[in-house]
């Protein structure tokens, strides 16, 4: 009996030391897990912020928001180049028989290219092309069929294959339109959201394909 009583305090101390050791292990484990969790949250937050910085929103002509990646512009540069060309052709070749409307379209199209755009406009004007549209009450529309792009980055060489529709009161004439130009990078602006400039624009082909009578 005396022996058990003399050893009891030692057993109590041993159990107490084991308990403290267990508490320390648990506390250290909790600290490690907390640090790991905090590091994970910090990494997730940093990654989310970086991804958000890679995205910008550009307001296009149809008043819709288009998502663009800002970090690596070359990823979608070819697609932007083709869209720039389509937009230019719509502005330059979609014409109503109204001098004010024609002038407004040409002024906007001029932001898409260099002096070669205005030279083409001047040549057509001197030949009386726009006067004929107005006097004949002709509506001109363009439909881009395909765009052949050479090069993986600016400067690009572009050849555009399209159809022109000349809508008159009694007939519709379809023309084959082929244009060629170079495309170089410039700073983006409100008037040129793609950041491209058309150079050395020329019409390679503009031939009548057919004329049909309207019902």
């Amino acid at each position: 009996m005396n022996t058990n009583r003399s050893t009891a305090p030692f057993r109590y101390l041993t159990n107490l030391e084991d308990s403290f050791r267990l508490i320390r292990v648990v506390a250290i484990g909790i600290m490690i897990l907390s640090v790991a969790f905090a590091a994970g949250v910090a990494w997730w937050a940093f990654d989310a912020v970086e991804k958000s910085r890679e995205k910008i929103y550009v307001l296009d002509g149809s008043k819709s928001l288009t998502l663009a990646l800002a970090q690596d512009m070359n990823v979608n540069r070819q697609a932007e180049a083709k869209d720039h060309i389509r937009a230019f052709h719509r502005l330059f070749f979609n014409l109503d028989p109204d001098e004010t409307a024609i002038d407004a379209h040409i002024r906007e199209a001029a932001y898409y290219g260099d002096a070669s755009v205005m030279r083409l406009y001047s040549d057509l004007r001197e030949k009386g092309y726009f006067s004929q549209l107005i006097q004949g009450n002709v509506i001109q529309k363009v439909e881009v069929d395909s765009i052949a792009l050479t090069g993986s980055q600016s400067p690009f060489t572009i050849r555009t294959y399209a159809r022109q529709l000349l809508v008159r009161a009694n007939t519709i004439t379809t023309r084959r339109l082929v244009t060629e130009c170079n495309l170089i990078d410039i700073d983006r602006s409100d008037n040129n959201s793609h950041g491209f400039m058309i150079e050395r624009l020329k019409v390679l082909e503009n031939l009548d394909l057919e004329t049909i009578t309207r019902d």
Side-chain angles (χ1 to χ4, degrees):
M1 293 294 293
N2 293 335
T3 303
N4 291 337
R5 289 179 180 178
S6 61
T7 59
F10 295 103
R11 286 200 302 273
Y12 173 77
L13 291 175
T14 301
N15 292 337
L16 187 60
E17 184 177 353
D18 290 341
S19 298
F20 279 128
R21 186 180 296 112
L22 179 61
I23 291 172
R24 284 197 301 271
V25 171
V26 171
I28 293 172
I30 292 174
M31 289 177 61
I32 292 174
L33 290 175
S34 298
V35 171
F37 177 77
V41 170
W43 178 86
W44 174 83
F46 179 79
D47 185 64
V49 170
E50 287 299 309
K51 287 181 178 179
S52 69
R53 289 176 178 174
E54 292 175 3
K55 299 177 181 179
I56 59 175
Y57 293 88
V58 180
L59 189 64
D60 63 22
S62 61
K63 307 304 182 185
S64 63
L65 287 176
T66 303
L67 183 65
L69 295 177
Q71 185 179 22
D72 188 0
M73 292 175 55
N74 289 328
V75 172
N76 289 322
R77 208 55 178 144
Q78 290 187 350
E80 282 193 290
K82 291 182 178 181
D83 195 55
H84 185 87
I85 293 297
R86 288 191 185 94
F88 169 78
H89 279 71
R90 286 195 297 267
L91 287 170
F92 196 92
F93 294 104
N94 279 357
L95 302 174
D96 295 325
D98 182 286
E99 186 174 2
T100 302
I102 291 173
D103 288 344
H105 270 230
I106 299 302
R107 280 197 303 271
E108 190 172 351
Y111 288 109
Y112 285 65
D114 65 1
S116 62
V117 172
M118 296 309 297
R119 278 198 300 270
L120 177 59
Y121 168 71
S122 297
D123 290 344
L124 292 173
R125 192 176 188 88
E126 288 177 5
K127 293 176 182 177
Y129 184 80
F130 300 108
S131 297
Q132 293 174 20
L133 292 180
I134 296 170
Q135 293 171 5
N137 200 34
V138 180
I139 300 173
Q140 178 176 288
K141 300 293 182 183
V142 66
E143 297 178 357
V144 175
D145 294 323
S146 63
I147 298 173
L149 184 150
T150 303
S152 59
Q153 60 184 9
S154 175
F156 299 108
T157 299
I158 305 285
R159 182 167 289 190
T160 305
Y161 300 89
R163 286 172 296 158
Q164 274 182 292
L165 300 178
L166 301 177
V167 182
R168 300 179 177 87
N170 299 318
T171 62
I172 299 176
T173 299
T174 302
R175 286 180 177 171
R176 175 180 169 85
L177 174 66
V178 181
T179 65
E180 188 176 75
C181 67
N182 293 337
L183 209 56
I184 63 170
D185 284 317
I186 62 171
D187 291 335
R188 298 174 190 263
S189 68
D190 291 340
N191 295 313
N192 190 328
S193 60
H194 293 112
F196 279 116
M197 175 170 285
I198 294 170
E199 290 185 323
R200 300 178 183 178
L201 174 67
K202 54 186 175 182
V203 176
L204 300 181
E205 188 177 329
N206 192 11
L207 302 174
D208 288 357
L209 296 178
E210 65 173 352
T211 299
I212 61 174
T213 302
R214 298 179 65 182
D215 295 331

